[in-house]
Amino acid sequence: MPPLYPFEGKLPAIDPTAFVAPTAAVIGDVEVGPDSSIWYNCVLRGDTFPIRVGARSNIQDGTIVHVARGSLPALIGDDVTVGHACIIHACTLKNHAVVGMGATVLDGAVIEEGGMLGAGGLLTPGKRIGPGELWLGSPARLVRVMSAEEQAGWKRNAEHYAGLGRRHRDSLAG
C-alpha cells in the first residue's frame, strides 16, 4: 500500500498502474496518472492547491513537489522525467519535459513540451523554457535547442521508468 495521506478531507488519487514507493509521502489533493512513478523519499504535498502528474511520468528519488498557497498548482504532464533530488514548486512541466538531477523550478515557471532544465539548474519564478530548448545554470539560461535524437532519448527514458516502476510495484507486492 503506498503512503497516501489525507489533508482536510482530500486523499490522493493514484492510478492503479502507477508506482508510489513505500518511503514516498503523497499528501492531499494529488493525482498521479497511469504508469507514472513516484520514487523513494519523494514528497508530493498538495495541501493548499492541487498537484497533477500525468501518464508515464517519473518523479525520481528525493524530489519535493509543492504548490503556492491558493494560487499556483504543480502541473506535470505526460512522459515527464524529473531527476533525483529536485524541487518542483508551483510550476508547469508540459509533456516530455525533463528536469535534471538536483534542479529547481520555481513558482509560475513553465517548461514547454520537450524542454529541459539541466542538472543543478535554477529556473527562476515566471521563466519559460521553450519547446525542445536546453537551459543550464543558476539562474538558468538558454544554451541551445536539442536535436531530435536527444529528445527521442528522453522519450525512451520515460518509457524505461514506466517499466521499472511496474517492476518495483510487482516486486513489493510479493
Side-chain angles (χ1 to χ4, degrees):
M1 194 68 176
L4 307 177
Y5 302 99
F7 182 78
E8 295 181 346
K10 289 244 181 206
L11 184 66
I14 310 299
D15 186 275
T17 64
F19 168 66
V20 177
T23 58
V26 182
I27 304 149
D29 191 358
V30 178
E31 293 179 7
V32 177
D35 292 316
S36 284
S37 52
I38 310 301
W39 291 89
Y40 300 90
N41 298 320
C42 287
V43 175
L44 281 73
R45 184 162 53 96
D47 51 0
T48 60
F49 227 56
I51 295 172
R52 301 292 180 256
V53 178
R56 297 169 308 282
S57 290
N58 59 94
I59 313 301
Q60 296 175 21
D61 313 68
T63 289
I64 298 168
V65 181
H66 194 230
V67 297
R69 181 183 53 212
S71 61
L72 291 171
L75 303 175
I76 299 170
D78 299 336
D79 301 301
V80 172
T81 292
V82 177
H84 307 286
C86 292
I87 297 173
I88 306 300
H89 198 272
C91 59
T92 299
L93 310 178
K94 294 194 177 180
N95 297 343
H96 308 285
V98 178
V99 178
M101 292 183 278
T104 299
V105 184
L106 293 177
D107 299 35
V110 176
I111 301 179
E112 295 286 349
E113 187 156 334
M116 179 178 182
L117 175 62
L122 171 63
L123 193 62
T124 55
K127 290 286 185 182
R128 182 175 295 267
I129 294 177
E133 292 179 350
L134 170 62
W135 286 43
L136 301 173
S138 181
R141 303 265 186 248
L142 173 64
V143 174
R144 62 183 170 81
V145 175
M146 292 182 287
S147 70
E149 183 178 310
E150 287 173 302
Q151 291 183 49
W154 289 113
K155 184 175 189 289
R156 288 190 299 275
N157 189 66
E159 293 167 357
H160 163 74
Y161 267 93
L164 189 58
R166 282 190 294 276
R167 290 169 55 201
H168 275 257
R169 187 186 67 237
D170 294 347
S171 291
L172 290 169

